[in-house]
Amino acid sequence: MSTLPENAVPETAARQVEFISLSHLNPSTELEPIPTRGIDLPYLRRYVAALEDGGYDYTLLPYGSASADSFVVASAVGQLTERLKPIVALRPNTTPPQVGAQKLATLDQLTEGRAVVHIISGGSDAEQARQGDYLPKEERYARSTEYVEILRRAWHEPSAFSHDGTYYRFDDFGPGFAPYGDTIPISIGGSSDEAFTLGGQLGDIFSFWGEPLADIRAQIERVHAIADAAGRRRQRIWVTFRPIVAPTDELAWAKAHDYVEKIGRTYEQGGFHKKYLGAGTPQNVGSQRLLGFAAQQDVYDRALWMRTAAVTNAGGASTALVGSPETVAAAILDYVDIGADLVSIRGYDTLNDAVDYGRYVMPLVRQELAHREATGQRGHLQAQHLGALATEGAR
């Protein structure tokens, strides 16, 4: 932990924080999988209304070979809300860059400047092959680099241009359809060397899954160093957690152990996208890292719990923050203190958790940041709600 005085705001701390959720299309969850055709429109309406009412700033529209199309869902979310910013998860193998630029600019105009794109290079050969993509992982990141460069040219070039690259070739494209504002933020995520190079040199946002504080801090420093060397503005930092919250820390831990048993059974029975995860070692570095942390210990820092990652074979964002609303808010602030200014919190009881986070967790974080802005000092939340730190992480 920091050696600064208790009330000192670290120099690395983000001054403002925005919250992200993930839009769920139906009530099926890892706790209780429900057979579904995919989109339950009344549920989607309720869900995004809950995000808007709860004060979330963004919602991620995920993408998979057997999921709903992220562009179409993002457009729907944009029309169902007034303020929520849709983040389109986009795989370069699915959409040519000129078309991707057109789609994103169209979404940006329809939502009056709310569009964001998250580029997914692809962490699994098997999943990429389901849609006919057979490039090896290293080349997928090289393709993403070319893709992002073309996106930006399509939005900003004042006249037509041609391109003859490694992965894309076209003649006299443009000028492309313009975004609502100056540009559209581009998010990059990952833990591999290739991801850091791409995100550090070209990304506006860099996304991490929830890892121990010391490890996230080192990764933030790494990506910012790459941006500095490239002469670019440093990226905003996005960190994702799956909080498990109850009125007290003790109740939250009891809830967490109940949840992990249910989640484990769901994945063992193949009831929730198990075919995408597999039983062997995941190919992507991010999942490998989470499983490595989980093998070392269950609890890190104030509230980070790794067992949810272990029982799902780290299939995506899967690490939990466990505790009372105060403890979880304090844990989020620990990450804010090392530079995270985009915090994704999505639960296992998806709709109910989204409502609870908006009522009980996010206001505490925002109150603390308002206190810092007004006084130049930290409040007492982090000092008073130690969570696992009070017992040296022994759980």
Side-chain angles (χ1 to χ4, degrees):
M1 299 297 292
S2 173
T3 58
L4 290 169
E6 179 180 313
N7 64 346
V9 178
E11 292 183 4
T12 55
R15 269 42 185 182
Q16 294 182 329
V17 174
E18 293 183 297
F19 285 96
I20 303 169
S21 186
L22 181 148
S23 283
H24 294 271
L25 306 182
N26 57 66
S28 183
T29 71
E30 291 150 284
L31 297 173
E32 187 179 356
I34 299 171
T36 173
R37 294 189 63 181
I39 297 178
D40 180 331
L41 186 55
Y43 182 88
L44 176 61
R45 288 195 181 106
R46 288 175 57 205
Y47 196 93
V48 297
L51 297 182
E52 181 114 308
D53 294 343
Y56 290 84
D57 301 286
Y58 300 84
T59 186
L60 173 64
L61 294 316
Y63 186 82
S65 62
S67 71
D69 181 83
S70 53
F71 274 107
V72 178
V73 178
S75 184
V77 168
Q79 298 310 301
L80 290 171
T81 62
E82 296 292 331
R83 187 184 56 80
L84 199 64
K85 300 171 186 175
I87 304 174
V88 176
L90 170 61
R91 288 184 183 170
N93 63 295
T94 63
T95 309
Q98 315 94 298
V99 181
Q102 178 188 41
K103 287 174 174 284
L104 287 163
T106 302
L107 175 66
D108 201 49
Q109 290 212 24
L110 285 172
T111 59
E112 298 183 305
R114 288 184 277 156
V116 181
V117 60
H118 180 64
I119 301 295
I120 303 175
S121 297
S124 165
D125 289 346
E127 167 64 1
Q128 295 298 121
R130 291 186 178 98
Q131 292 185 307
D133 182 17
Y134 295 97
L135 281 183
K137 181 180 178 181
E138 294 76 13
E139 285 199 61
R140 293 200 291 267
Y141 278 99
R143 178 178 60 192
S144 291
T145 298
E146 190 172 331
Y147 195 97
V148 170
E149 291 170 343
I150 294 169
L151 284 182
R152 290 217 169 96
R153 289 195 71 185
W155 293 329
H156 301 137
E157 286 278 355
S159 57
F161 65 97
S162 300
H163 179 83
D164 187 2
T166 304
Y167 304 99
Y168 302 103
R169 178 183 175 187
F170 53 84
D171 295 314
D172 296 323
F173 172 77
F177 193 64
Y180 181 82
D182 292 336
T183 193
I184 295 171
I186 297 175
S187 169
I188 308 293
S191 297
S192 66
D193 292 341
E194 295 85 0
F196 275 97
T197 299
L198 169 61
Q201 293 181 349
L202 295 177
D204 302 304
I205 298 165
F206 199 89
S207 173
F208 298 104
W209 290 338
E211 293 187 4
L213 282 163
D215 298 275
I216 290 287
R217 182 186 295 112
Q219 292 194 90
I220 292 173
E221 291 171 354
R222 180 182 178 187
V223 74
H224 281 170
I226 294 171
D228 292 345
R232 295 194 68 251
R233 181 177 180 178
R234 288 184 169 187
Q235 298 77 15
R236 300 187 69 186
I237 300 299
W238 168 1
V239 184
T240 298
F241 305 101
R242 308 288 298 274
I244 301 173
V245 178
T248 67
D249 285 354
E250 292 75 16
L251 289 173
W253 281 107
K255 183 178 180 180
H257 286 287
D258 176 60
Y259 272 20
V260 84
E261 289 185 12
K262 292 177 179 177
I263 294 165
R265 286 197 299 269
T266 295
Y267 280 89
E268 284 298 317
Q269 294 167 4
F272 200 86
H273 306 314
K274 184 173 176 103
K275 66 180 180 178
Y276 299 119
L277 304 179
T281 301
Q283 187 180 7
N284 65 305
V285 176
S287 293
Q288 293 171 14
R289 287 175 62 88
L290 295 188
L291 292 175
F293 293 125
Q296 294 176 42
Q297 62 192 66
D298 272 352
V299 182
Y300 289 82
D301 305 314
R302 190 185 305 267
L304 184 67
W305 198 41
M306 309 303 298
R307 199 175 299 177
T308 44
V311 300
T312 61
N313 204 29
S318 52
T319 51
L321 295 176
V322 181
S324 67
E326 292 79 9
T327 296
V328 170
I332 290 171
L333 287 162
D334 293 337
Y335 288 88
V336 171
D337 283 344
I338 61 173
D341 63 351
L342 291 165
V343 177
S344 177
I345 47 176
R346 55 187 177 92
Y348 291 98
D349 183 6
T350 51
L351 178 56
N352 291 327
D353 283 344
V355 171
D356 285 348
Y357 301 158
R359 287 177 177 171
Y360 305 120
V361 176
M362 290 158 48
L364 293 173
V365 176
R366 287 178 168 141
Q367 287 167 20
E368 166 64 15
L369 294 177
H371 172 83
R372 295 180 180 191
E373 178 68 21
T375 67
Q377 298 181 336
R378 289 202 287 192
H380 300 297
L381 189 68
Q382 288 160 283
Q384 292 178 347
H385 298 277
L386 296 177
L389 293 174
T391 55
E392 298 181 353
R395 290 280 175 186

